């Protein structure tokens, strides 16, 4: 299905497919984080060319913590000609192999990689830098941010990466990408941080570190480290028309990765808090259209009902410029920071309203308790029972109708599931809120939905 308004052709690197998360239960004493955090303050190599910087220490630390990930998946293939002429299918098992990279994050064998590297795997095999191999167990995944957590049982304590604070990473800072491109193990490339808070999707979830260190198929899930060998990101994708490196690559920031891992370990899934606004980032064009002078920040178009933003007093027309101590210039700045938080966390939101500056404390809402409204249709997230009933993996439920044109169909539509809006997947309320913020009230849009009786229909509003 097409993505709405895609800005980049993004080639996901090696590996393939989702196994789904295994929920792991821990007692209170075992629920502590497995992540080791690097010291906050360290010196930077500023004002030096690559020839004057010693990368050897960082490279030596990183290559021992980066592993080769082999994904083996099996599918049944049938022969329709044999079935037609001889009455049997002649089906057989076909094995597919994908490869990628991973990063050891604890001495007892926890490994972080990309979700797409281990997707649909029947078996996962890990090869360490010392050539030892182990079978890995999938602990959990987050397909939105493309992160997966694995576990191996090694016969000795393993070298592991410490997490640096990715919020402190600076544009222009030297970094190393470590992985296994094209099955070439322990490959190290150098570059600089080209940009922060890059969003390559229209759902507003993503916030990548962009670098010009060479990354190719097989690097997926590998480490992006600073000159001290500390982990600042997990290499995830490249922007390319060929699928090979052409100058830029992208990594999930370490702070977001760390939060996802801790959620999986403690809760068995990712706890995603949301601010509860619909809006978009400002620039010269949008500011002119809105009749405002500010050209940076996130413009609040609408505040979701029952959200933390509504309860804190945010309203349409406000311009968010800071979250806690983090400046907000783009929507990716906002989502990147929110993605490091959990439901019920409190953050300070600084915003402009009629040329005055205000700061309020907002308690983040849980994704599944917030609803949104679009063209008189109140929407909420679907649950596991809805997914099972309609055999779907995404969608938003029609909670209520306030659209006169649809009132006569209310009995069929209320409780139905919207699958896409304008050709873009309606993944959840959070995604839809971002999507509809770019649609004018007067603009017509086609929606695909499943009615209460299970009928698939399309409507135009």
């Amino acid at each position: 299905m097409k993505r709405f308004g895609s800005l980049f052709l993004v080639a996901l690197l090696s590996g393939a497919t989702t196994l789904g998360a295994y929920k792991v239960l821990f007692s209170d004493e075992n629920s502590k984080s497995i992540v080791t955090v690097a010291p906050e303050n360290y010196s930077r190599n500023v004002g030096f060319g690559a020839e004057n910087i010693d990368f050897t220490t960082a490279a030596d630390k990183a290559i021992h913590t980066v592993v080769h990930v082999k994904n083996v998946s099996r599918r049944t293939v049938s022969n329709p000609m044999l079935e037609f002429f001889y009455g049997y299918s002649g089906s057989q098992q076909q094995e597919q192999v994908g490869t990628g990279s991973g990063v050891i994050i604890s001495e007892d064998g926890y490994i972080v990689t990309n979700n797409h590297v281990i997707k649909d795997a029947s078996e996962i095999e890990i090869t360490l830098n010392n050539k030892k191999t182990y079978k890995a167990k999938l602990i959990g995944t987050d397909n939105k941010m493309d992160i997966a957590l694995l576990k191996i049982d090694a016969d000795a304590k393993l070298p592991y990466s410490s997490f640096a604070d990715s919020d402190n990473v600076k544009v222009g800072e030297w970094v190393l990408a470590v992985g296994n491109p094209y099955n070439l193990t322990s490959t190290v490339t150098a570059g600089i941080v080209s940009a922060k808070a890059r969003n390559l999707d229209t759902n507003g979830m993503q916030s990548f570190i962009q670098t010009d260190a060479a990354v190719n198929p097989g690097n997926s899930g590998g480490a992006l480290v600073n000159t001290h060998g500390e982990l600042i990101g997990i290499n995830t994708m490249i922007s390319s028309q060929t699928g090979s490196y052409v100058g830029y690559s992208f990594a999930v920031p370490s702070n977001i990765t760390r939060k996802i891992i801790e959620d999986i370990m403690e809760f068995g899934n990712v706890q995603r808090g949301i601010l509860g606004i619909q809006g978009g980032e400002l620039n010269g064009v949008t500011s002119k259209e809105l009749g405002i002078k500010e050209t940076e920040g996130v413009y609040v178009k609408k505040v979701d009902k029952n959200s933390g933003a509504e309860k804190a007093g945010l309203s349409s027309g406000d311009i968010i410029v800071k979250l806690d101590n983090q400046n907000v210039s783009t929507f990716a700045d906002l989502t990147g920071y929110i993605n490091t938080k959990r439901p019920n966390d409190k953050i300070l939101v600084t915003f402009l309203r009629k040329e005055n500056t205000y700061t309020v404390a907002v308690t983040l809402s849980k994704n599944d308790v917030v609803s949104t409204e679009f063209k008189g249709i109140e929407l909420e997230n679907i649950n596991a029972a809805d997914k099972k009933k309609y055999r779907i993996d995404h969608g938003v439920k029609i909670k209520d109708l306030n659209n006169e044109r649809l009132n006569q169909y209310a009995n069929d539509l209320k409780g139905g599931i919207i699958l896409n809006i304008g050709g873009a997947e309606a993944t959840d309320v959070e995604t839809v809120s971002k999507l509809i913020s770019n649609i004018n009230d007067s603009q017509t849009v086609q929606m695909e939905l499943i009615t209460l009786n299970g009928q698939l229909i399309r409507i135009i509003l």
Side-chain angles (χ1 to χ4, degrees), residues 282-284 287-288 290-296 319 352 355:
L282 294 174
N283 55 43
S287 296
K288 186 176 181 180
L290 293 167
I292 57 179
K293 64 181 182 179
E294 288 80 12
T295 57
E296 290 186 322
I319 301 170
L352 307 178
E355 299 186 356

Side-chain angles (χ1 to χ4, degrees), residues 89-108:
S89 65
S91 62
Q92 57 184 340
Q93 287 279 316
Q94 187 176 80
E95 185 176 280
Q96 294 180 319
V97 177
T99 61
S101 305
V103 184
I104 305 170
I105 57 171
S106 70
E107 64 181 15
D108 58 345

Side-chain angles (χ1 to χ4, degrees), residues 184-404:
L184 301 172
T185 58
S186 303
T187 297
V188 181
T189 56
I192 63 169
V193 174
S194 305
K196 295 176 63 178
R198 280 289 194 228
N199 178 26
L200 305 184
D201 203 350
T202 57
N203 63 20
M205 285 293 300
Q206 299 174 339
S207 183
F208 292 115
I209 296 173
Q210 178 181 324
T211 175
D212 65 354
V215 170
N216 278 294
N219 273 109
S220 281
L224 186 70
V225 302
N226 59 28
T227 53
H228 294 262
E230 299 158 350
L231 191 66
I232 63 170
I234 299 297
N235 295 317
T236 299
M237 61 177 65
I238 58 179
S239 179
S240 170
Q241 294 180 341
T242 65
S244 297
Y245 174 76
V246 292
Y248 297 109
S249 55
F250 303 90
V252 179
S254 58
N255 287 2
I256 294 177
T257 303
R258 175 187 169 192
K259 187 261 182 184
I260 290 170
I261 291 166
E262 291 175 343
D263 280 358
I264 290 172
M265 292 293 295
E266 186 171 354
F267 304 104
N269 54 39
V270 179
Q271 302 290 297
R272 189 165 276 119
I274 60 175
L275 194 59
I277 64 156
Q278 300 172 29
E281 62 188 58
L282 294 174
N283 55 43
V285 175
T286 56
S287 296
K288 186 176 181 180
E289 291 175 349
L290 293 167
I292 57 179
K293 64 181 182 179
E294 288 80 12
T295 57
E296 290 186 322
V298 171
Y299 182 82
V300 179
K301 183 178 179 182
K302 188 176 181 182
V303 178
D304 295 330
K305 294 180 179 179
N306 304 318
S307 67
E310 182 188 55
K311 294 173 183 177
L314 285 168
S315 63
S316 174
D318 292 342
I319 301 170
I320 298 174
V321 294
K322 184 180 288 188
L323 299 177
D324 290 334
N325 293 319
Q326 298 294 320
N327 292 327
V328 173
S329 298
T330 67
F331 204 86
D333 287 332
L334 184 144
T335 55
Y337 189 73
I338 296 295
N339 282 341
T340 66
K341 303 297 180 181
R342 297 184 176 87
N344 298 320
D345 281 354
K346 288 186 177 180
I347 62 172
L348 295 177
V349 178
T350 301
F351 61 94
L352 307 178
R353 179 184 293 172
K354 295 181 180 179
E355 299 186 356
N356 293 317
T357 302
Y358 303 90
T359 299
V360 296
V362 176
T363 301
L364 299 183
S365 310
K366 192 173 182 179
N367 189 330
D368 58 7
V369 300
V370 174
S371 62
T372 190
E373 188 173 332
F374 176 58
K375 291 187 178 290
I377 306 173
E378 190 173 349
L379 304 171
E380 63 182 359
N381 284 316
I382 58 176
N383 54 35
D386 296 321
K387 293 180 180 180
K388 184 177 180 181
K389 177 181 177 180
Y390 297 108
R391 297 181 180 180
I392 56 177
D393 60 3
H394 72 277
V396 289
K397 181 185 286 188
I398 299 175
K399 182 179 181 181
D400 201 5
L401 289 173
N402 297 298
N403 187 314
E404 293 183 359

Side-chain angles (χ1 to χ4, degrees), residues 105-124:
I105 57 171
S106 70
E107 64 181 15
D108 58 345
Y110 281 97
I111 295 168
V112 63
T113 185
N114 286 146
N115 179 57
H116 76 264
V117 169
I118 52 81
K119 195 178 178 185
D120 288 342
S122 302
E123 296 176 7
I124 304 172

